[in-house]
Amino acid sequence: MKGQIALALPKHVTPDRMIRVALTCIQKTPKLLECEPTSLIGAIVQASQLGLEPDGVTGQAYLIPFRNRDKDTGKTTMEVQFIPGYRGLIDLARRSGRIITIYARAVHAKDEFSRVYGTDEKLEHVPSDEADPGSLIFVYAVARFKDGGVQFECMSLHEVNAIRARSRAATAGPWVTDYEEMAKKTVIRRLCKMLPLSPEM
C-alpha cells in the first residue's frame, strides 16, 4: 500500500517514514495484527492524509485496536481506530496560518483558577507550586490569532468523562495510559470547532 500512502501524505512526511512509524506502532501493540487488515490500512492512510505520525509517543496520534460487534449479525471483529492526539490537533490548527499559538492546560485542585463568560470573557490560572497539586479538576485550551484575538474553551472533569464514555476506546489505549493528555485533546477538539481550520482539519 506504499503508493496509496504516498498519495495521501502531505509534503513534510515521506511514505518510508510513515511505514516505519506504523511498523513500530504494530511492534508495540501486537493486537493490531489481529484486526481486520482493511481497517489497519485505512487507519494508516487516515494518519497519512493528516500528516500525523501514530507513534503513541509524541502524542500526535494513536492506532487503537478495539472489538466491534455488528448489531445485525452479532458477529464481533477486531478493528483499528485512528485517534488524533492533542499535539496532533494543535499541529493541524497551526497549519491554518491564522493562529499564532494554541495550547491546552490542566487545572488541579490546589491551583488558583477562575473563568468568566459573557461580554468580557476572561480566564486566569496560577498553578500550584506544591509537589502534589491535587487531583485534576478542569482542562482548558487557548488559541491566539494573528489579528490579536483570543478564543478559549474550558471543560470540567465531568464533561471530559462524558465524552470518554462515548469513545469506542474508552477502556484501552491513551484513555488509560495518558488520561491527562486525552483530557487536553478533548478540550482542544472542542476549541477547534470555533477556529479557522486547515483543509486537513
Side-chain angles (χ1 to χ4, degrees), residues 42-200:
I44 293 168
V45 169
Q46 193 176 0
S48 301
Q49 288 171 333
L50 297 176
L52 299 179
E53 296 183 358
D55 57 9
V57 176
T58 61
Q60 281 199 345
Y62 304 85
L63 298 180
I64 307 297
F66 72 97
R67 293 189 183 279
N68 188 26
R69 188 171 182 274
D70 190 294
K71 293 177 183 177
D72 298 327
T73 64
K75 184 182 176 184
T76 301
T77 56
M78 287 288 288
E79 295 185 9
V80 181
Q81 182 174 14
F82 168 75
I83 299 179
Y86 105 89
R87 287 188 178 89
L89 290 177
I90 286 174
D91 184 38
L92 291 176
R94 283 185 176 146
R95 289 184 210 169
S96 72
R98 294 173 60 185
I99 295 169
I100 296 174
T101 184
I102 180 170
Y103 59 88
R105 298 278 187 268
V107 180
H108 295 86
K110 295 179 185 176
D111 296 352
E112 292 177 34
F113 180 72
S114 68
R115 56 182 168 161
V116 176
Y117 293 120
T119 56
D120 189 19
E121 296 190 344
K122 189 168 61 170
L123 188 69
E124 291 184 352
H125 178 206
V126 180
S128 169
D129 290 330
E130 294 187 32
D132 177 14
S135 58
L136 182 69
I137 54 173
F138 290 102
V139 285
Y140 65 91
V142 178
R144 294 185 180 277
F145 302 101
K146 285 186 174 179
D147 64 6
V150 176
Q151 184 78 47
F152 73 83
E153 185 65 45
C154 181
M155 294 179 71
S156 68
L157 216 56
H158 173 74
E159 291 173 293
V160 171
N161 286 333
I163 288 172
R164 176 187 180 178
R166 296 197 296 270
S167 170
R168 290 186 292 188
T171 58
W175 272 118
V176 176
T177 59
D178 300 287
Y179 178 85
E180 192 167 300
E181 296 293 295
M182 288 298 284
K184 289 179 184 177
K185 184 210 83 164
T186 302
V187 75
I188 283 276
R189 192 169 189 167
R190 182 172 285 186
L191 175 65
C192 284
K193 293 176 182 178
M194 297 180 283
L195 301 181
L197 305 177
S198 65
E200 294 98 328

